[in-house]
Amino acid sequence: MSVQPIDQFCKELKPEIKEALTKASIGSTVARQQSLDQAYPEPGKALHLRELANAIKSVNLADNLEKAVSSLERNNVKVLFAKDADEARKIILDIIKKKNAKNVVKVKSMTTEEIELNAFLGKHGINAVETDLGELIIQIDHERPSHIVKPAIHRKRDDIAASFQKHGIADYDEEPTHITLNARKYLRKKYFEAEVVISGANYVLAKEGAIVLATNEGNARFSMAGAKTHIAIAGFEKVIPSARELSVFLNLLGRSATGQHTTVYTDFVAGPGKAKNSPEEMYLIFMDNGRSDILASRFAEILKCLRCGACMNRCPVFRLVGGHAYRAVYPGPLGIVLSPLLAGEEFCKYADLPKACSLCGGCAEVCPAKIPLPSLIVQMRDEAKRRHCKIPNDVGFKAWSFIATTPRLWKFGIPFNRLANYLPIDKLRFGTLGRWLKARKLPKFKGGEFRKWFKKNG
Ligand code: SF4
C-alpha cells in the first residue's frame, strides 16, 4: 500500500496567515490556562477534573448506549443506526426526501464534516446552509474547516468581506462587526425558510434521553425555531451516563477550547415538541464509521475526545502548517491518531501524519480528557509499520538513522556538513528535500564544535 506524497506539509502558508494562526493558537492556549487557574486555583484541582472526564468516558459504553436508546425513544426521538458514512448520508437524504424538503439549515458538526454531508446533499439538489459563522465562511468557498472549533481560522477579514460580496451575501465591508451582522441578516432568512435542521450532538445523556448542543452564536436555537424536522447525528462515543456527569465536561469544554468559562449557549434537546416552536419530529442517528474497531483496538482512548481543539492550539506543528496540511477532516494531534483509523481500508493514506509530530508532549498537557496523545502517536507510527505502509521520506530517514547510529560514520561526515554553507542546496526543488525546502530555508551549519569542547572540558 502506498500513501499520498507529503507535499502538502511543505505548502507554505502566506506569512500573514501563519502569523495570525500562531497568534490565535497561542492566544487560545494562554486563555485556557488563565481560565482554569482562575476557576481552580487549588493545586491539582484542574488535573483532577480532567482525570474525572477521562474516567467518565471509560464507563461501559455499550450499557450507556442501550440506556440512551430507550430514554430517547421514550422521549419520542426516532433512533437510527448507521454502520458507515454511506449509510448515514443515505438515511439523512431519505428523511429529507420523505419530508419533501428543499431548505435545510445546519448547526456546526464535525460528524457531518466527517461524512462530507454538504457535498453529498448538494449533489442531490439540497442546499444545506451552515449557520455557524466560521462554517458559513468556508462553505461558500467550498473549503474544509482548518480547525475543529475555529473552522475559518486561516481566513482574513478582507478576504471574507470579498467573498461575501462575490457570493451576494453583502457589499464589501471588512469591519468584523459588520461581517457578523451581514451574516446574521443573510441567515435570518434561511432560518425562516428552513424545513429541516441537521445538527451533531456534543453529548447524549443516557438517563435523560436528551442531546446537548454547546454553541457560541445561538444559531442552534434559531435553526430549531423554524424547522419542523430535526436530524441529529453523533458517534456513539458521545453518550455519557447523565446530566450529573455533564457538569464535568461543560466545565472543561469552553475553557479548553477558547478560555471561556463555558460556551455561550447550552441547549438540551429532549425530544420533539418540548419547547415552543421546536421541531415536531426528531431523529438521532448513531454512527459507527469505524468506531467499533477503534474501541476494540489499542487506540480506544482517542474516542474520549471532546472536540475542544486545545491539542491543535498547543501543537507547534499545527501552528506552522495549519489544519489543511493534515488533509483529513480532523487536524492536529487528534487528527494524527484519528484520521488513519477512520480511513479504514485506506489507513496508509494518512500513515505519514504521525511523523508530523515532534513528540513535545504539549497536547497531552492540555487535553481535557487526559488522552495520552503522544503515546498514541508513537503507537500509530508502529501501526503504520505493521501494516507495511510506504511513507515517502522513509528512505531518507533510514539512511539518516544508519549514519546517526554508526558513530564512526557520523564523525567522518560532520566536516562535510560545512559544504552546505557553500552549495546552493536551498535552490533544490525535487525529491523529498526539494519539497521540504520549498517552504523552508536551511540554517547555516555551525556544528562540529561539541566534540572539541567535550574533549577539553568533559
Ligand atoms: S484530543 Fe483532547 S485536546 Fe484534542 S480535541 Fe480532543 S479533547 Fe481536545
Side-chain angles (χ1 to χ4, degrees), residues 204-226:
V204 179
L205 309 179
K207 188 174 161 205
E208 291 80 4
I211 68 163
V212 180
L213 298 172
T215 63
N216 275 329
E217 299 171 17
N219 53 317
R221 291 181 187 185
F222 276 118
S223 300
M224 279 185 278

Side-chain angles (χ1 to χ4, degrees), residues 163-435:
S163 180
F164 273 22
Q165 186 178 37
K166 182 174 144 199
H167 297 287
I169 293 178
D171 290 339
Y172 183 91
D173 188 340
E174 60 176 66
E175 168 60 37
T177 317
H178 296 169
I179 289 177
T180 312
L181 287 174
N182 286 333
R184 186 163 86 160
K185 208 164 141 199
Y186 171 76
L187 287 171
R188 287 286 150 106
K189 206 166 145 255
K190 302 291 174 192
Y191 295 132
F192 281 118
E193 290 168 356
E195 296 147 298
V196 172
V197 49
I198 299 174
S199 77
N202 291 81
Y203 310 97
V204 179
L205 309 179
K207 188 174 161 205
E208 291 80 4
I211 68 163
V212 180
L213 298 172
T215 63
N216 275 329
E217 299 171 17
N219 53 317
R221 291 181 187 185
F222 276 118
S223 300
M224 279 185 278
K228 292 275 175 270
T229 305
H230 178 188
I231 308 170
I233 176 165
F236 58 70
E237 78 281 9
K238 295 292 177 73
V239 178
I240 60 168
S242 70
R244 190 165 173 264
E245 288 77 12
L246 181 66
S247 59
V248 173
F249 298 105
L250 292 184
N251 266 304
L252 286 167
L253 182 66
R255 291 194 165 91
S256 304
T258 53
Q260 289 166 255
H261 298 321
T262 182
T263 41
V264 181
Y265 301 93
T266 305
D267 296 301
F268 294 74
V269 190
K274 289 275 164 69
K276 207 176 164 200
N277 295 330
S278 64
E280 291 158 2
E281 200 174 18
M282 179 177 172
Y283 296 83
L284 175 58
I285 303 161
F286 281 115
M287 185 177 70
D288 190 310
N289 205 28
R291 285 162 172 79
S292 295
D293 290 341
I294 299 175
L295 193 62
S297 76
R298 54 180 163 156
F299 300 103
E301 285 279 303
I302 202 66
L303 291 181
K304 295 179 179 175
C305 173
L306 315 185
R307 306 284 191 269
C308 72
C311 56
M312 42 210 81
N313 294 337
R314 180 67 178 77
C315 176
V317 178
F318 177 89
R319 285 174 187 173
L320 286 178
V321 299
H324 289 154
Y326 294 80
R327 305 193 306 274
V329 68
Y330 299 104
L334 161 68
I336 287 179
V337 181
L338 197 53
S339 303
L341 296 171
L342 289 179
E345 293 284 297
E346 297 201 294
F347 177 96
C348 287
K349 200 169 149 189
Y350 300 107
D352 54 332
L353 294 184
K355 303 237 171 170
C357 171
S358 64
L359 294 178
C360 70
C363 50
E365 280 169 18
V366 296
C367 177
K370 272 217 110 248
I371 298 171
L373 287 157
S375 148
L376 295 183
I377 290 170
V378 171
Q379 290 183 62
M380 190 51 73
R381 289 180 184 178
D382 173 62
E383 191 67 24
K385 213 168 176 184
R386 282 178 192 218
R387 295 192 191 208
H388 305 290
C389 302
K390 285 196 186 80
I391 297 170
N393 52 359
D394 253 6
V395 178
F397 276 122
K398 271 185 191 141
W400 184 84
S401 160
F402 176 69
I403 296 168
T405 52
T406 314
R408 281 179 178 204
L409 210 52
W410 184 260
K411 196 177 164 188
F412 174 77
I414 284 174
F416 291 101
N417 284 308
R418 262 182 219 292
L419 286 176
N421 291 349
Y422 306 105
L423 297 173
I425 296 182
D426 272 342
K427 304 243 171 346
L428 198 69
R429 285 294 173 266
F430 58 87
T432 305
L433 185 60
R435 288 201 300 271

